[in-house]
Amino acid sequence: MTLPAFDHDRPTGLAEAVAAVRAGGVPYCGGTELLATMQMGLLRPERLVSLQRVDELLGIDVENDMLRIGARTTIHAMALSEGVRASSPLLAHVAARIGNIRVRTTGTVGGNLASSGGFRWGPPRRFSCLTTVLIALEAQAVVGDGSSERSLTVDTLISCPYETDLQASELLLRIEVPVRTADVGVYHKATVAERPLVGVALVHLAHRDVWRLVIGAVGEVVLVAEFEKLADIAAAALSGEVATLLGLSGSDAYKRHLTRVTIERCCEDAQRRIREGQ
Amino acid sequence: MSRHMVSTTVNGVPVEREVPARRLLIDFLRDDLGLYGTKLSCGMQVCGACSVLVDGQPTSSCTYLAVDVGGREVTTVEGLAHGEVLSPVQRAFVEETALQCGFCTPGFIVSVTALLEETMDPSDEEIRDYLGGNLCRCTGYGQILAAVRTAARIAKDERADG
C-alpha cells in the first residue's frame, strides 16, 4: 500500500499549527477520513499537518451549563466520558455507535466535523452522525487561528457538502453543546459499509418547548425542521422534501423510503421515552 | 517528500527508524521491522485484520502513518505473549478453536485484548458491539464469541490467583 508522496509537519502548539496550515498544509488528527481518501487517489496534498501534539485542542469540561469538547477529542473518549454522558447522553450514545472501535479510538470530533463538509482540497462527504446530532442539539463550533476565535452553529460551519466556513488560517478548536438535561433526544440511522445512508436526530428542546428534527447524510444539505408537537411530524411529507444524493447505495425512492422509516422510528422511540419518563 | 526519524516502542522494545512521511504503520511493522503477524486485507480500516494497539487503543495500521507513532507504544500480536506463555486471549482462541484459516485471528486477538482491558466481563452485546469491525469469513463467529467469554474467565481466574 503506497500513499502519494507528501511533506509532513508535527507542530507542538496551536500557533505553529496555524502557521503550517496558512502555508498550505492540510491539517489532520486521526486521519481516518483523510488517509482513506488519499489511498483511494482522490486527494493528493503536498503537505500534511498533524495536530496530534497540539494540546490546546484537547479537553472535555462543563462550565456555565455548556459542555465544551476539544477538537482533538477522540470519538471513543467522547463516548466514555462521564462528563459527556451526564451532560449530553444522546451525544455519548451516538458517539459509541460511529464506525467501528478503531475508527472511534483514532477519529476525532474535529476531524469528523471538518471533513463532513468535504476537505477544502478534495471531495465532499455526507453529513455524519455527529454533525446531524450536534445540529439537533444546537451546538456551536468554535474556530480560530490562535489570536482570535469565533463561534458559529454547526450547520453554518458546514455550509454545504463541498465547503466548510473555515477561513484559510482557521482551525476548528472545540465544539460547545448546551447542557439541557431535561431534553429528550433520540437518533436512528441506516448504514451502508459503516457509514450513515440516512441519519435522523429528534430532540425535544425543553427551554423552547419544540421538537427539533434533523435529517442528515441522505441529502446534499441537512434538513432541519421544528414542530410544536410530536404528532405534527409527518414522516412521509418530510422524506419527500429531501434532495437525495446520487450514488451507488440505492435509488432516490429507496432513500426516501429509508428516510421515512427512520423518522418514524425516531418518533416511536421518543414517544416510548416520554411514556417511560426517560 | 520528507523523511522523518521515528522513535517509538514496539512490543516493549525501543525502535528508531528513518521513514518517508507516507509510510503506513502496517508497512513499517511488516517490512521495516519484520513483524508479519499483522495482516493487510481491506486496506480501508473496515475489516480489522491490521489491528494493532497504539498506546493501548485498537488502531487500523493500514490507515495510520508510521510517523504518528513517534513517542508512543505500539503492540502487535507478537507482543501479547510472555515468552513462551500465551496471553489469556491467545489461550482462549486455541481452547475454543476460534480460527480456521487464521488470517483474521491476529486482528481479533489484538481487539479482544483491548476489549478486556476496558471491560473485564463484557456481555455478549458488548462483545458484538466492540468486535463489529473485525470480520471473519470462516468461522461464523460462534467460536470467536466463545473465545472472548473464555478469555474473560481465564483472565479473571488469573487475577484471583494473584
Side-chain angles (χ1 to χ4, degrees):
Chain A
M1 303 244 354
T2 307
L3 290 171
F6 54 86
D7 291 323
H8 188 269
D9 291 327
R10 297 188 80 201
T12 55
L14 183 59
E16 194 184 343
V18 167
V21 170
R22 190 178 286 133
V26 174
Y28 78 99
C29 196
T32 54
E33 285 300 321
L34 177 68
L35 293 180
T37 306
M38 290 171 66
Q39 285 176 331
M40 286 189 276
L42 299 175
L43 195 63
R44 300 179 71 93
E46 292 185 359
R47 179 176 292 274
L48 295 189
V49 180
S50 171
L51 302 178
Q52 292 183 10
R53 300 193 296 178
V54 180
D55 288 346
E56 292 97 318
L57 302 179
L58 281 175
I60 299 176
D61 62 74
V62 179
E63 192 177 318
N64 297 328
D65 288 330
M66 193 67 73
L67 170 65
R68 293 150 51 111
I69 303 174
R72 258 187 67 193
T73 304
T74 65
I75 309 295
H76 192 53
M78 226 170 59
L80 296 183
S81 162
E82 287 301 323
V84 177
R85 287 179 174 184
S87 306
S88 190
L90 176 62
L91 189 59
H93 172 86
V94 170
R97 286 153 182 80
I98 288 174
N100 61 55
I101 184 63
R102 299 177 307 283
V103 168
R104 296 195 294 274
T105 59
T106 309
T108 62
V109 170
N112 190 283
L113 262 63
S115 64
S116 195
F119 302 105
R120 279 175 279 184
W121 301 266
R125 53 166 292 206
R126 294 171 178 163
F127 286 90
S128 66
C129 301
L130 261 191
T131 313
T132 304
V133 167
L134 287 170
I135 293 172
L137 295 172
E138 299 184 307
Q140 299 274 313
V142 180
V143 304
D145 60 6
S147 60
S148 65
E149 55 184 54
R150 62 191 176 102
S151 189
L152 55 162
T153 61
V154 172
D155 50 342
T156 305
L157 172 72
I158 305 165
S159 47
C160 75
Y162 300 85
E163 297 178 6
T164 67
D165 197 52
L166 284 174
Q167 303 305 305
S169 61
E170 286 180 327
L171 291 174
L172 177 61
L173 304 178
R174 62 183 180 274
I175 59 169
E176 296 183 345
V177 187
V179 177
R180 299 181 192 134
T181 50
D183 291 352
V184 171
V186 298
Y187 178 81
H188 286 274
K189 61 180 175 179
T191 59
V192 59
E194 296 184 347
R195 293 184 180 276
L197 185 55
V198 58
V200 177
L202 177 61
V203 178
H204 181 251
L205 300 175
H207 70 292
R208 290 198 285 124
D209 195 20
V210 296
W211 287 93
R212 184 171 168 88
L213 180 111
V214 179
I215 304 171
V218 70
E220 286 201 351
V221 294
V222 69
L223 193 152
V224 183
E226 293 187 350
F227 305 88
E228 282 189 12
K229 293 179 288 185
L230 205 51
D232 294 337
I233 298 174
L238 285 166
S239 65
E241 290 180 32
V242 174
T244 61
L245 278 167
L246 293 176
L248 297 175
S249 50
S251 67
D252 175 70
Y254 172 69
K255 289 174 184 175
R256 290 184 192 285
H257 173 75
L258 267 190
T259 301
R260 180 174 63 81
V261 168
T262 309
I263 294 170
E264 288 169 353
R265 282 182 184 158
C266 280
C267 292
E268 286 164 10
D269 196 6
Q271 281 172 334
R272 179 185 60 78
R273 286 169 190 269
I274 291 171
R275 272 199 313 270
E276 294 175 0
Q278 291 182 13
Chain B
M1 177 180 63
S2 56
R3 296 182 67 88
H4 297 265
M5 184 61 70
V6 176
S7 298
T8 182
T9 303
V10 181
N11 296 332
V13 177
V15 168
E16 212 167 68
R17 293 281 194 283
E18 188 185 80
V19 298
R22 68 179 179 178
R23 177 82 93 241
L24 291 168
L25 179 58
I26 188 168
D27 297 326
F28 177 68
L29 293 171
R30 289 177 57 89
D31 299 338
D32 293 342
L33 302 185
L35 295 169
Y36 299 109
T38 305
K39 309 301 185 198
L40 175 64
S41 182
C42 73
M44 297 169 58
Q45 68 195 335
V46 172
C47 75
C50 72
S51 300
V52 298
L53 302 180
V54 176
D55 287 343
Q57 298 293 307
T59 304
S60 296
S61 61
C62 71
T63 320
Y64 205 84
L65 295 177
V67 293
D68 283 333
V69 298
R72 307 173 81 172
E73 291 192 13
V74 181
T75 305
T76 70
V77 67
E78 289 94 339
L80 297 179
H82 290 283
E84 297 296 315
V85 179
L86 298 179
S87 73
V89 176
Q90 290 169 315
R91 277 180 269 149
F93 268 68
V94 171
E95 189 173 314
E96 299 293 343
T97 322
L99 68 157
Q100 292 183 22
C101 81
F103 198 79
C104 72
T105 307
F108 265 104
I109 287 175
V110 165
S111 295
V112 173
T113 301
L115 166 62
L116 296 181
E117 277 295 315
E118 194 174 293
T119 310
M120 284 191 293
D121 192 14
S123 64
D124 280 3
E125 184 181 355
E126 286 171 325
I127 295 170
R128 286 193 171 91
D129 279 348
Y130 200 94
L131 297 181
N134 285 80
L135 306 182
C136 174
R137 297 294 289 153
C138 296
T139 64
Y141 300 103
Q143 295 104 302
I144 292 174
L145 280 174
V148 180
R149 296 184 205 109
T150 298
R153 175 181 55 77
I154 293 173
K156 183 181 172 185
D157 290 345
E158 289 185 351
R159 278 192 302 273
D161 291 342

